[in-house]
Amino acid sequence: MTVLAAGFIAAGCSGGSDNEETQNTEAPEEEAAEQETVAENSAEEDFLVPFDETLTHVHGMGYIESEGALYFASHTGLKIYRDGDWFETDGMYNDYMGFNAVDEGFYTSGHPGVDSDLPNPIGIQRSTDGGQSLESLVLEGETDFHWMAVGYRSHDLFVMNPQANSIMETGFYLSENAGEGWQRLEPQGLDGDLMALAIHPEDSQLLAAASSTGVFLSKDGGTTFERLTEDGEFGTAVHFTESELLYASHGSEAALKSYVLDSDAGEAFEIPELGEDGIVFISVNPADEQEIAIYTVQGDAYVSSDEGTSWTTILEKGQIQ
C-alpha cells in the first residue's frame, strides 16, 4: 500500500459525502502520478552507479536543473557530482562532444559508445531523462559539433559547423527551433582559433565566443562581436547567466571575470592558484547562483558556494577528492 493510498483510507473514515466524492475521483490520478514518479526514481537509481575512478577527457560540464546535479561529459559517458557524491551511468557510454546542460536535460554531439547502435558521428542529440535515452534532432551520421552552445531555457542552438553537410556550409549557424531550420551567421569582429561558444539562457540576441585572440560578445544575434579582453589575452571559456556573462581567459595568468549585461560593468573573481593551467568550462547552478563550478585543462575541478570567495576541490588531475 502506498503512503497516498493509506492517507486516502484514513481520510475516508472521517465521513462527509462531499469529501468522499472528491477523494474518490482524485485519488486514482494522484496515486498513478505517484507511482510514475517512484518508477522514474527507481529507473534513475538503476541507471546511476557509484564512480570512484579517474575522470579524463572531459568535453563539457553543466548543472541540469531537473536532475539537481553537476554533469561532466566525457569520452566514456556521463559522470555526475551530486551533494558531494560521484556517480556514472550504467550504460550509454557515448563520447559526448559539444555537451550543453539545460533546464530539463542536455544537448550533445559526439560519437557512439561501445554499447550504442547510433551512427558515427551522432549529429545533434538531446536527452530529457538524465542521459538514459537520446533523441536525434539533426545531422545524425554526418557531423560532430565540437563547438555548440544551447540556450538553457530557450534551447536555441548556436554552432560552428566544421565542414559542409547536407544542410550547412562551413561556418556559424543559429537555430531557434531545435535544429529544424538554421540561420547562417556572418559575424563581424570575431576572429582567432575558436575555443568555446555560449548563448544566453533566454535571449538569443546575446552570444559569446572565446578564441585564441580573446573573449567576444554579440548583442545583435551574431551580426557583430566586440572584444572584452585586452590584447595578448586569449579566451578559454564563456558562460551566460540571466544577468551576466562569465568568462575565463589567460594572459600572464588564468583569470575568471564577469560582465554585467545591462550595465557593461565587470569584476574579477578570486580563483585557486592555477599556474600555467587554465579554465575551459564554467557553470553556474541555476537553483543557486552563488554556486559556481570550473574545470581546467589539467583535469582539476572546483566548486564555490559563495560566488567565488572560496573554492572546494572536487577533482585534482582527474582524481576524485
Side-chain angles (χ1 to χ4, degrees):
M1 179 184 296
T2 66
V3 173
L4 181 61
F8 170 63
I9 293 172
C13 293
S14 63
S17 59
D18 290 343
N19 288 341
E20 288 176 3
E21 180 179 352
T22 300
Q23 291 159 352
N24 286 338
T25 57
E26 292 181 357
E29 296 178 2
E30 293 176 1
E31 184 170 355
E34 182 185 4
Q35 290 173 346
E36 182 177 350
T37 299
V38 170
E40 290 174 353
N41 290 341
S42 176
E44 182 187 68
E45 289 174 2
D46 292 340
F47 182 60
L48 298 184
V49 297
F51 176 70
D52 59 3
E53 302 175 20
T54 302
L55 175 52
T56 60
H57 300 288
V58 172
H59 303 146
M61 179 190 75
Y63 289 93
I64 298 180
E65 190 171 44
S66 60
E67 302 294 333
L70 179 63
Y71 277 65
F72 293 77
S74 80
H75 187 65
T76 55
L78 299 172
K79 318 302 177 190
I80 299 99
Y81 180 76
R82 177 187 285 152
D83 298 329
D85 295 320
W86 282 92
F87 303 90
E88 65 176 337
T89 60
D90 185 12
M92 299 294 284
Y93 303 122
N94 302 303
D95 180 11
Y96 294 112
M97 305 292 294
F99 175 88
N100 280 258
V102 294
D103 53 353
E104 296 181 346
F106 64 85
Y107 288 67
T108 190
S109 191
H111 306 278
V114 294
D115 63 335
S116 174
D117 58 2
L118 288 170
N120 187 21
I122 66 174
I124 298 177
Q125 308 267 337
R126 82 176 155 203
S127 175
T128 58
D129 55 12
Q132 295 180 60
S133 64
L134 293 173
E135 174 192 359
S136 176
L137 297 181
V138 69
L139 295 169
E140 192 177 71
E142 291 193 59
T143 303
D144 173 21
F145 291 93
H146 287 206
W147 297 284
M148 180 167 72
V150 184
Y152 195 83
R153 302 196 187 281
S154 71
H155 298 197
D156 291 348
L157 300 159
F158 174 36
V159 305
M160 200 290 284
N161 182 41
Q163 59 185 22
N165 54 46
S166 61
I167 59 175
M168 301 175 183
E169 299 298 323
T170 302
F172 293 93
Y173 286 81
L174 180 68
S175 174
E176 296 179 322
N177 54 10
E180 292 184 12
W182 295 89
Q183 173 191 351
R184 175 76 181 267
L185 303 179
E186 299 286 354
Q188 302 297 310
L190 174 59
D191 56 26
D193 295 327
L194 196 60
M195 298 290 291
L197 296 176
I199 183 170
H200 188 271
E202 296 182 286
D203 183 358
S204 298
Q205 290 294 295
L206 296 169
L207 307 175
S211 83
S212 59
T213 60
V215 171
F216 299 83
L217 173 66
S218 174
K219 297 182 178 180
D220 56 14
T223 301
T224 60
F225 282 81
E226 62 172 318
R227 189 169 65 182
L228 303 181
T229 47
E230 301 293 332
D231 289 342
E233 194 173 355
F234 59 91
T236 60
V238 280
H239 176 81
F240 279 106
T241 66
E242 291 289 342
S243 60
E244 296 177 307
L245 171 67
L246 274 64
Y247 64 92
S249 61
H250 207 294
S252 58
E253 61 183 2
L256 176 64
K257 299 178 182 179
S258 68
Y259 176 92
V260 181
L261 296 169
D262 63 1
S263 69
D264 298 337
E267 64 175 340
F269 291 88
E270 293 291 334
I271 59 173
E273 176 57 50
L274 298 181
E276 294 301 311
D277 202 0
I279 299 167
V280 289
F281 299 116
I282 308 164
S283 188
V284 175
N285 187 348
D288 178 8
E289 292 197 356
Q290 294 286 309
E291 185 173 319
I292 305 170
I294 57 175
Y295 180 84
T296 75
V297 174
Q298 295 181 14
D300 295 347
Y302 305 88
V303 174
S304 172
S305 60
D306 51 18
E307 205 170 11
T309 301
S310 61
W311 297 87
T312 299
T313 305
I314 61 172
L315 287 172
E316 185 171 346
K317 292 182 170 53
Q319 297 291 325
I320 292 171
Q321 300 299 296

